[in-house]
């Protein structure tokens, strides 16, 4: 089977309702927290993707029983740090930064050395952003000053709570410290720039002692450690980050309408909708309801002929961090020059996304001005492609692949896009959903 797709036609108009795959952030957090609960937890519609399988396999290797049947997953937790495993085991986070970073938090009191590995992409991502503060809890890392995987962790019998300042707006760093705090007696205090808050909502829902105070652009989060909690069931909703590809496809295609059902529209995740609406889209969230502290809803979007450029407010960066690639595509269609700034974090994802997005846009004939932490996109509302475009060598980054498919389906041209299997990390149904809307993808 070739590892590429070919697309030669833009998508015809459609008027449809779809479901996207389940929320990746929530799925990983459910697995990790269920492993620390007392007793059997059950998830319905856990995302069935490689990142979640990596998480499940790590937790299984740490001695926790996990049973998956159809769309149900059961985890038999043994309480905080209830892991049982042999000496010198290796756990593999695969492509998942969230799994790799969050799981280290759970291991600050591990009694034996555990080696953490990941794939080529994950092995080029900085882990010092979590290993440095985790040392303050008492954990040791080997080799001592190595910032990249593979890395080994040995926990401490005498963990202590810490004060931690999270300045980047990284939910992975914040959540890692919150999970570590479960293992430390007393109060861990985290001052964190606002970012997705699923871990906080789960802690509240599980009655884990947590207090959150606002402090300007920051939040002060206090977690009281060493308090066991009961098992819990969860029905995982759809992922807004996966939805974003179909939102933009609909927006920049012709005369189409789409409803995406049952999506997690947590306010800390919907920056992409705010940004696109500021650009003139009219995306609506309907049937809003709350579920275990999260907000769920259906997303309604229709095609928009005229989009405006945007000088994107930086306070939306964190809530749109995984959606910028697809937002850049909308900006390519907009009238005027769009400017996105303070986004150097994008170059630290599964691939250097800012650089790669700029290259793809240039191949399409869209002018960009790139700096290490910003991009200007010179939009062209009448851009239609007829040339051949090949997209490869993008570190197997799922979101680069999906952005390229949406570009091909909406701007035209003859595209050959490599690494089609990389969607399996976050959104295995992506191609099938696109086909169900009428996309011709070979
Ligand atoms: C995630 C946080 C984000 C995001 C990633 C998922 C999470 O990373 O890019 O895809 O589930 O906590 P950072 O926290 O490093 O920004």
């Amino acid at each position: 089977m070739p590892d590429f797709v070919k697309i030669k036609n833009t998508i015809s108009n459609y008027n449809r309702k779809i479901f996207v795959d389940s929320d990746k952030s929530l799925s990983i957090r459910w697995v990790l927290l269920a492993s620390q609960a007392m007793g059997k937890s059950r998830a319905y519609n856990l995302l069935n993707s490689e990142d979640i399988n990596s998480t499940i396999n790590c937790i299984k290797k740490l001695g926790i029983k996990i049973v998956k049947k159809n769309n149900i997953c059961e985890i038999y937790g043994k309480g905080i740090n209830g892991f049982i495993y042999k000496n010198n085991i290796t756990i593999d986070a695969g492509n998942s930064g969230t799994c790799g970073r969050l799981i280290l938090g759970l291991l600050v009191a591990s009694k034996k050395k555990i080696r953490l590995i990941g794939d080529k992409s994950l092995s080029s991502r900085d882990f010092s952003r979590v290993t440095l503060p985790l040392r303050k809890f008492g954990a040791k890392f080997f080799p001592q000053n190595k910032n990249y995987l593979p890395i080994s962790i040995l926990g401490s019998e005498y963990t202590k709570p810490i004060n931690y300042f999270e300045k980047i707006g990284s939910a992975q760093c914040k959540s890692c410290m919150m999970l570590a705090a479960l293992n430390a007696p007393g109060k861990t205090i985290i001052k964190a720039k606002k970012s997705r808050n699923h871990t906080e909502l789960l802690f509240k829902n599980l009655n884990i002692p947590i207090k959150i105070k606002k402090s300007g652009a920051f939040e002060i989060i206090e977690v009281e450690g060493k308090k066991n909690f009961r098992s819990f069931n969860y029905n995982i909703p759809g992922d807004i980050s996966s939805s974003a590809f179909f939102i933009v496809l609909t927006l920049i295609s012709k005369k189409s309408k789409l409803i995406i059902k049952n999506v997690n529209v947590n306010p800390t995740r919907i920056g992409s909708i705010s940004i696109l609406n500021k650009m003139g889209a009219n995306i609506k969230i309907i049937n809003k309801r709350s579920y275990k502290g999260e907000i769920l809803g259906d997303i309604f979007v229709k095609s928009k002929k005229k989009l405006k450029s945007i000088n994107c407010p930086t306070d939306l960066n964190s809530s749109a961090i995984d959606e910028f690639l697809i937002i850049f595509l909308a900006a390519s269609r907009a009238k005027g020059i769009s400017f996105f700034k303070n986004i150097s974090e994008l170059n630290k994802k599964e691939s250097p996304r800012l650089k790669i997005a700029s290259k793809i846009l240039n191949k399409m004939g869209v002018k960009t001005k790139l700096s290490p932490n910003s991009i200007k996109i010179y939009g062209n509302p009448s851009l239609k492609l007829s040339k051949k475009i090949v997209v490869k060598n993008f570190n197997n980054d799922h979101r680069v692949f999906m952005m390229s498919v949406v570009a091909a389906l909406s701007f035209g041209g003859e595209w050959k896009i490599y690494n089609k299997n990389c969607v399996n990390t976050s959104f295995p149904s992506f191609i099938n959903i696109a086909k169900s809307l009428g996309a011709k993808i070979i």
Side-chain angles (χ1 to χ4, degrees), residues 327-422:
I327 292 170
F328 294 163
L329 218 51
S332 307
R333 247 298 144 75
K335 189 166 188 282
I337 305 167
S338 293
F339 187 34
F340 302 90
K341 50 201 177 293
N342 293 358
I343 46 173
S344 56
E345 272 295 297
L346 284 194
N347 280 332
K348 299 179 183 157
K349 299 293 176 188
E350 287 84 330
S351 73
R353 283 186 182 157
L354 198 50
K355 287 188 203 157
I356 287 187
S358 176
K359 272 193 193 154
I360 295 174
L361 296 184
N362 295 161
K363 277 191 192 191
M364 292 166 57
V366 177
K367 187 179 155 191
T368 58
K369 241 189 213 161
L370 187 67
S371 88
N373 73 357
S374 72
I375 188 168
K376 270 188 186 155
I377 298 174
Y378 294 70
N380 177 359
S382 53
L383 181 65
K384 271 195 197 112
L385 303 180
S386 52
K387 57 181 170 181
K388 285 191 175 156
I389 296 183
V390 178
V391 185
K392 59 179 175 183
N393 298 332
F394 50 88
N395 242 1
N396 264 301
D397 184 340
H398 50 136
R399 295 202 168 104
V400 171
F401 176 88
M402 293 189 277
M403 168 209 183
S404 306
V405 169
V406 173
L409 292 174
S410 43
F411 287 88
E414 267 188 49
W415 292 65
K416 187 173 183 182
I417 309 162
Y418 279 84
N419 302 140
K420 71 169 183 202
N421 294 326
C422 63

Side-chain angles (χ1 to χ4, degrees), residues 24-25 29 98 129 170-172 196 321-322 349 399:
K24 177 155 77 81
S25 291
R29 285 162 171 77
T98 308
R129 56 173 62 190
S170 163
Q172 287 179 358
R196 65 190 70 194
I321 193 70
D322 289 336
K349 299 293 176 188
R399 295 202 168 104

Side-chain angles (χ1 to χ4, degrees), residues 23-26 28-29 51 97-99 101-102 125 129 166 168-175 195-196 198-199 241 269 318 321-322 345 348-350 353 398-399:
D23 190 312
K24 177 155 77 81
S25 291
L26 267 180
I28 293 176
R29 285 162 171 77
D51 279 10
T98 308
C99 167
R101 291 183 175 135
L102 267 59
R125 297 175 71 182
R129 56 173 62 190
E166 197 292 303
I168 322 171
S170 163
Q172 287 179 358
C173 294
K174 172 178 69 178
S175 301
S195 61
R196 65 190 70 194
H198 308 302
T199 314
S241 301
R269 292 286 298 280
S318 163
I321 193 70
D322 289 336
E345 272 295 297
K348 299 179 183 157
K349 299 293 176 188
E350 287 84 330
R353 283 186 182 157
H398 50 136
R399 295 202 168 104

